[in-house]
């Protein structure tokens, strides 16, 4: 089967690899001019961990894992308020089946599996398509036209394939009321005390976190509730927005904002979920954030992108020539779990960015209780961390 995958991110690369292993002929088109291996720290557990195990990826994931020592919560003067031993949480909440790594490192691991085996065309996107029976005729941005047995939109939360196949983003996007940013700096600030911790400062409506990463660099993460809608997502405008919103926050924040001009891997976006009645039409199907974005609040987008790709390939492998039946089963198996995780993501927003000092204090109480043995299963349930492969 000849499959065009639009988007060479976590979902697209995983699907390309799975299909190539089955003897299909995937082609990946990616809008970025070159391989994107920048990003932010992600938690990887549940369905993603199980899919990774089935794909024989665990040794590679272990290699890129960051053994964070503590989750440390500081006050505005940088004084430690709560410090949780991360290996203990990892064992209790996730039974050790959990990784932390940079999104880009996961992408690199997946890319290595298809390099030289799958055609990956950068600086290219899908401009238009038409369906004729069992074929999809696709026109690409480089002027090429070709026929495929299946077109997969794995082009992220702002998917172009979704727009072409189902309509404008506004119809499916659920804004969670927050914006997020991340970037990478060369070298941690002098004021960062614990270099083995994921350190977080939260004040009402805003959170900033930092964590040292390989190569002597520092990854940052910002999330805030929106007081006004952002219209312009250019880097210059996003930097202005961050400086305005985070003005007055103490600790390392002024230095981070001063240095963000020289940062690499700059990312700024809304925190959004995608909610669609259906994920496929004919022989065009969506995958990953394009149809199932749970948002960073659920902490499982990349995990579910890998799991979804694994599941779609499995269904296509079993269906033979009945591709529409495979697409329907893929959606039936995955969608209920996604809706459950999206609901959890919305609940967790109050934990990420509490709206008041009182809610912040309640969150901190919950964090302190997280080490109690009985709390682990409550946390697992609240996060909807269960794997779709364990029902
Ligand atoms: C700050 C932050 C923290 C996060 N933390 C976590 C976490 O802890 N755990 C977790 O599991 N997930 C986390 N996520 C979510 C996770 O990163 C995503 O869910 C995951 O990357 C989705 O994979 P994807 O392949 O669907 O999309 P992406 O990884 O976004 O890939 C989409 C690809 O498509 C390309 N593309 C876009 N448009 C086009 C186009 N028109 N044509 C061709 N190509 C196109 C893009 O360049 C990109 O390469 C986080 C996200 C953010 C922003």
């Amino acid at each position: 089967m000849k499959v065009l995958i639009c988007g060479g991110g976590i979902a697209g690369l995983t699907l390309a690899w799975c299909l190539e292993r089955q003897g299909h002929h995937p082609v990946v088109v990616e809008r970025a001019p070159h391989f994107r291996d920048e990003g932010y720290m992600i938690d990887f557990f549940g369905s993603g961990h199980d899919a990774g195990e089935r794909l024989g990826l665990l040794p590679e994931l272990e290699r890129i894992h960051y053994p964070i020592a503590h989750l440390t919560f500081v006050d505005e003067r940088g004084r430690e308020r709560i410090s949780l031993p991360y290996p203990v949480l990892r064992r209790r909440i996730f039974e050790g089946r959990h990784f932390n790594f940079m999104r880009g490192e996961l992408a690199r691991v997946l890319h290595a599996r298809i390099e030289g085996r799958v055609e990956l065309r950068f600086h290219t996107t899908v401009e238009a398509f038409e369906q004729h029976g069992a074929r999809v005729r696709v026109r690409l941005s480089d002027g090429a036209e070709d026929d495929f047995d299946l077109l997969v939109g794995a082009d992220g939360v702002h998917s172009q394939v979704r727009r072409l196949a189902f309509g404008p983003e506004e119809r499916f996007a659920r804004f969670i009321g927050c914006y997020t940013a991340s970037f990478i700096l060369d070298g941690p600030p002098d004021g960062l005390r614990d270099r083995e911790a994921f350190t977080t400062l939260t004040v009402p409506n805003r959170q900033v976190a930092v964590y040292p990463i390989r190569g002597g660099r520092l990854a940052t993460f910002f999330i805030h509730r929106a007081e006004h809608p952002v219209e312009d997502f250019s880097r210059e405008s996003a930097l202005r927005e961050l400086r305005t919103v985070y003005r007055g926050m103490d600790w390392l924040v002024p230095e981070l904002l001063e240095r963000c001009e020289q940062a690499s891997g700059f990312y700024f976006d809304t925190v959004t979920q995608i909610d669609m009645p259906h994920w496929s039409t004919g022989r065009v199907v969506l995958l990953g954030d394009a149809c199932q974005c749970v948002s960073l609040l659920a902490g499982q987008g990349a995990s579910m992108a890998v799991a979804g790709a694994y599941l779609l390939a499995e269904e296509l492998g079993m269906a033979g020539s009945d591709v529409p039946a495979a697409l329907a089963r893929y959606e039936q198996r995955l969608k209920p779990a996604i809706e459950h995780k999206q609901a959890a993501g919305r609940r967790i927003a109050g934990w990420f960015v509490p709206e008041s000092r009182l809610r912040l204090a309640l969150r901190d109480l919950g964090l302190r209780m997280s080490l109690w043995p009985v709390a682990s299963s409550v946390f697992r349930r609240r996060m909807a961390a269960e794997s779709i492969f364990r029902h």
Side-chain angles (χ1 to χ4, degrees), residues 23-276:
H24 295 299
H25 301 285
V27 174
V28 181
V29 291
E30 164 59 49
R31 185 180 57 183
H34 50 76
F35 180 62
R36 287 179 55 215
D37 65 352
E38 75 275 14
Y40 32 80
M41 185 73 88
I42 59 177
D43 293 285
F44 195 83
F45 56 90
S47 311
H49 194 287
D50 283 1
E53 186 168 42
R54 290 170 180 213
L55 288 164
L57 268 189
L58 293 194
E60 279 291 279
L61 300 185
E62 190 70 59
R63 182 182 63 75
I64 60 172
H65 170 65
Y66 278 90
I68 292 170
H70 300 101
L71 282 185
T72 300
F73 297 82
V74 295
D75 66 14
E76 290 213 65
R77 293 170 66 183
R79 290 176 307 203
E80 184 182 303
R81 300 185 60 245
I82 305 170
S83 181
L84 305 173
Y86 204 58
V88 176
L89 288 178
R90 190 178 180 229
R91 205 171 48 245
R92 290 211 185 138
I93 298 179
F94 303 103
E95 292 157 354
R97 297 175 67 80
H98 173 281
F99 294 112
N100 292 107
F101 37 66
M102 298 296 284
R103 178 202 170 279
E105 287 178 315
L106 173 61
R108 223 176 296 139
V109 164
L110 296 167
H111 181 244
R113 300 280 161 149
I114 61 162
E115 205 170 8
R117 305 170 75 89
V118 172
E119 188 187 349
L120 177 48
R121 286 157 76 168
F122 291 102
H123 221 297
T124 311
T125 186
V126 170
E127 275 202 346
F129 69 82
E130 281 174 8
Q131 301 207 50
H132 302 286
R135 314 288 289 164
V136 190
R137 181 140 195 92
V138 181
R139 193 176 77 236
L140 297 175
S141 54
D142 60 7
E145 279 196 31
D146 206 348
D147 286 335
F148 294 88
D149 300 295
L150 179 65
L151 167 62
V152 181
D155 45 350
V157 63
H158 305 299
S159 169
Q160 157 102 334
V161 174
R162 184 184 62 225
R163 187 178 63 72
L164 294 172
F166 295 94
E169 182 167 319
E170 304 80 75
R171 216 180 274 171
F172 312 110
R174 184 193 288 130
F175 178 51
I176 308 294
C178 299
Y179 290 86
T180 184
S182 66
F183 51 83
I184 294 170
L185 295 172
D186 285 332
D190 292 337
L192 183 62
R193 292 195 188 142
D194 187 346
R195 308 232 160 167
E196 297 193 329
F198 187 105
T199 310
T200 303
L201 167 63
T202 312
V203 299
N205 298 317
R206 292 171 290 173
Q207 181 187 124
V208 178
V210 296
Y211 39 101
I213 57 172
R214 288 181 262 277
R217 295 173 305 153
L218 183 85
T220 65
F221 168 74
F222 294 71
I223 182 166
H224 63 268
R225 285 186 190 274
E227 280 167 19
H228 54 273
V230 172
E231 307 287 347
D232 181 356
F233 286 84
S234 67
R235 184 177 165 127
E236 296 70 40
S237 167
L239 287 177
R240 263 200 311 279
E241 176 73 11
L242 288 186
R243 290 195 173 119
T244 307
V245 170
Y246 292 89
R247 185 181 299 140
M249 244 174 121
D250 217 337
W251 183 48
L252 308 173
V253 180
E255 180 176 344
L256 300 179
L257 293 177
E258 198 179 307
R259 290 173 62 194
C260 70
E261 208 94 49
Q262 294 87 46
S264 60
F266 188 82
Y267 175 92
F268 179 75
D269 206 349
T270 59
V271 178
T272 295
Q273 295 183 332
I274 297 294
D275 184 6
M276 304 182 69

